[in-house]
Amino acid sequence: MATVETRSLTKRFDDITAVDAIDLTVREGEFLVLLGPSGSGKTTLLRMIAGLETPTSGDVLVGGRIVTSLPPRAHNMAMVFQSYALYPHLTVAGNIAFPLEAQHMHYKTIASKVKWAATLFGIDHLLTRKPRELSGGERQRVALARAVVRDPVTFLLDEPLSNLDAKLRASARDELKQIQRRLGTTTIYVTHDQIEALALGDRVAVLDHGGMRQLDTPQQVYLHPADRFVATFIGSPPMNLIASDNVETGFRPEHFLPRELFDNDAQLELFPVSITRIEYLGADRLVYGLLEPPQPPVKVISRIPCTANVALQAGTRRLFAVRLVDLCRFDARSGASLGTVPNAP
Ligand SMILES: Nc1ncnc2c1ncn2[C@@H]1O[C@H](COP(=O)(O)OP(=O)(O)OP(=O)(O)O)[C@@H](O)[C@H]1O
Ligand SMILES: [Mg+2]
């Protein structure tokens, strides 16, 4: 069984709590993404799960068995590091074969496994090259092939696509997801890129300052964020937030549209807006504006798809609206979600 579980897992470095009492259960065959800003504890959490870092307290369980104090070997996980370390003096084939040679496997088995893993990541034509003769993206693929070849029970991937350009990244993301599906290997994937997290994860765990803010499906995390941090960290441009009394009301730019784009009988909250700037992005327009009375003067952003036929001009006033069901509410002090608007249909 390849379930991975952490129980109140904590790591302190002097006065920094890098990972703060994290309870996490990764299901068999699941693709779980750890998402959080730089310094939120993603790598430290992953290293403790791999057995490479000793927790200050708490436990790691693999297949229901406590492995906290056992050496990395007993965790049987393959980790691709954020700074993937290839052996510079070995060829691509030598790098991929390395973990198998350490297991004293027969050379014919090794050769066929190397060929298989290299083909999986489309680098089988590079097997005789040295790492310095590869692009950053190719090196990253070698590191992934080296992780896969061991046939581990779990993959731990720490930002494995960070060195690829935007286009290659999108296709590598798609490939990686397909490969993971095919192999069915439980995977924990670290990223600070929220788009990548939503695209890849069966579930997404959102970390901040070592704590886990939410663990849920991409849809839930996006549409029903557990708190203000999750709401604003995920989504670009971020969720609009309006403070009044003890409650903050939030709504996504794509839910905030000119009134006439909604049905007449839709249940809406209305917002008069003075439009300050319009940005044309091809598929969408971003409309920047300032709320007008009776709303507080807050800057807001609307994302209007190019398919919506509505003429807008900077320097004019316009009535915008959000469906009541698309409003989120947060406690102004703690930031915790208060759920949707009462009486929303
Ligand atoms: N060996 C260490 N000694 C002291 N502090 C450390 C050590 N490793 C990590 N930290 C601290 O722990 C916190 C979490 O670091 P970690 O590397 O886990 O973050 P991260 O989420 O992976 O960030 P990034 O996205 O930048 O890779 C940071 O404040 C970091 O400075
Ligand atoms: Mg890191």
Side-chain angles (χ1 to χ4, degrees):
M1 274 256 293
T3 58
V4 177
E5 198 181 330
T6 69
R7 289 192 190 155
S8 204
L9 197 62
T10 301
K11 181 70 187 184
R12 278 187 214 99
F13 296 108
D14 303 322
D15 52 348
I16 296 171
T17 305
V19 173
D20 192 4
I22 297 235
D23 291 305
L24 182 70
T25 303
V26 191
R27 301 168 186 150
E28 171 104 43
E30 182 173 29
F31 199 119
L32 184 114
V33 175
L34 298 178
L35 172 69
S38 188
S40 58
K42 305 179 297 293
T43 297
T44 307
L45 176 57
L46 211 59
R47 285 175 54 82
M48 286 194 286
I49 291 173
L52 297 166
E53 190 90 63
T54 311
T56 307
S57 60
D59 275 311
V60 177
L61 290 83
V62 177
R65 199 167 67 99
I66 293 180
V67 296
T68 320
S69 53
L70 299 179
R73 206 168 7 91
H75 294 228
N76 194 14
M77 296 171 177
M79 182 152 171
V80 173
F81 296 92
Q82 195 164 7
S83 55
Y84 50 91
L86 299 179
Y87 302 105
H89 59 288
L90 295 179
T91 61
V92 167
N95 268 283
I96 300 174
F98 194 83
L100 303 179
E101 277 162 2
Q103 293 173 23
H104 304 294
M105 203 173 268
H106 191 275
Y107 76 94
K108 279 191 180 161
T109 317
I110 291 179
S112 77
K113 278 183 177 267
V114 167
K115 176 84 184 149
W116 168 79
T119 308
L120 201 58
F121 288 98
I123 46 170
D124 44 325
H125 58 296
L126 303 172
L127 286 173
T128 55
R129 294 221 204 145
K130 295 278 178 62
R132 65 168 186 280
E133 299 162 335
L134 302 174
S135 74
E138 287 163 347
R139 281 179 218 167
Q140 229 148 17
R141 282 156 184 267
V142 176
L144 286 166
R146 185 174 60 181
V148 165
V149 81
R150 271 182 47 193
D151 207 11
V153 296
T154 309
F155 294 139
L156 306 178
L157 309 176
D158 196 351
E159 311 235 11
L161 307 181
S162 55
N163 280 354
L164 307 184
D165 65 48
K167 187 158 167 252
L168 208 58
R169 209 176 153 113
S171 66
R173 191 164 79 198
D174 182 46
E175 271 168 42
L176 192 64
K177 179 88 180 179
Q178 288 187 33
I179 291 169
Q180 192 268 348
R181 278 274 169 279
R182 207 169 334 142
L183 300 176
T185 310
T186 307
T187 300
I188 307 179
Y189 183 102
V190 163
T191 183
H192 61 262
D193 179 340
Q194 41 110 10
I195 302 285
E196 199 163 282
L198 298 180
L200 280 173
D202 294 323
R203 288 187 303 159
V204 178
V206 186
L207 301 187
D208 182 41
H209 288 96
M212 191 162 70
R213 298 301 193 97
Q214 189 167 7
L215 170 60
D216 219 323
T217 60
Q219 290 82 351
Q220 286 295 321
V221 165
Y222 187 78
L223 292 174
H224 303 290
D227 63 20
R228 188 174 41 208
F229 173 81
V230 177
T232 50
F233 187 67
I234 296 179
S236 173
M239 185 179 270
N240 295 296
L241 284 174
I242 302 169
S244 63
D245 302 328
N246 298 324
V247 175
E248 265 181 300
T249 302
F251 46 87
R252 298 259 174 225
E254 66 271 26
H255 293 148
F256 180 57
L257 299 170
R259 168 68 184 91
E260 64 265 37
L261 292 180
F262 295 92
D263 288 341
N264 278 333
D265 56 356
Q267 302 221 32
L268 302 173
E269 169 131 10
L270 300 175
F271 298 91
V273 175
S274 85
I275 298 174
T276 48
R277 192 160 65 86
I278 301 175
E279 225 172 62
Y280 175 72
L281 297 181
D284 300 299
R285 269 176 293 175
L286 292 186
V287 179
Y288 296 80
L290 200 63
L291 293 185
E292 299 228 311
Q295 299 285 353
V298 173
K299 284 186 183 169
V300 284
I301 305 178
S302 155
R303 179 193 281 271
I304 306 176
C306 67
T307 46
N309 190 11
V310 51
L312 296 168
Q313 227 183 339
T316 60
R317 295 181 64 221
R318 197 63 173 254
L319 195 60
F320 277 65
V322 181
R323 293 192 310 157
L324 294 187
V325 285
D326 292 327
L327 292 173
C328 299
R329 296 178 328 128
F330 305 100
D331 185 296
R333 195 121 49 95
S334 71
S337 172
L338 300 169
T340 44
V341 172
N343 307 325

